[in-house]
Amino acid sequence: MRKVKAEPFPAPLIRDAGAFGQAVRAARTGAGISLEAAAQALSISKATLSDLEGGKGTVALGTALRVARDLGAVMFATPLAVHFEASTVLQGLRNAHPEPWGGIDSERPASSRQPLERERST
């Protein structure tokens, strides 16, 4: 089995399907889960997950948000009037705690980093 290379999370302000896809891919690879294994665990096709991670924008919104959540990438929205302040706060968190944004924490075994194994909320 090939080792999954962790990719860093993109900037916290998600402006398009490409950035959203990068966040999903970073969550999956940071957990050490292959594309095939994630698709199977999420009950979606490998092509759908690949399209989502590739930023195609053709995956249904509900599916995209569920996949992101189940892989451990939480998204939230702010009013446009406060987006600069929210982005600044998130960037400060990223600077203060770089490990979750940058990939795998080598101190913990991969099995403890796999959000898919958590109980799903409905």
Side-chain angles (χ1 to χ4, degrees), residues 35-90:
L35 186 75
E36 296 84 5
Q40 184 176 11
L42 294 163
S43 299
I44 60 173
S45 72
K46 182 179 164 185
T48 297
L49 183 54
S50 181
D51 287 352
L52 178 59
E53 289 186 359
K56 283 196 174 180
T58 56
V59 178
L61 179 59
T63 300
L65 291 172
R66 178 182 62 83
V67 166
R69 181 198 65 221
D70 288 354
L71 287 172
V74 178
M75 306 298 160
F76 66 93
T78 62
L80 186 57
V82 298
H83 84 278
F84 177 77
E85 291 86 354
S87 182
T88 301
V89 168
L90 288 172

Side-chain angles (χ1 to χ4, degrees), residues 1-24:
M1 183 182 286
R2 286 185 359 191
K3 181 176 169 118
V4 176
K5 181 182 176 198
E7 295 186 22
F9 267 80
L13 184 59
I14 304 295
R15 295 179 183 262
D16 56 31
F20 186 85
Q22 288 175 335
V24 171

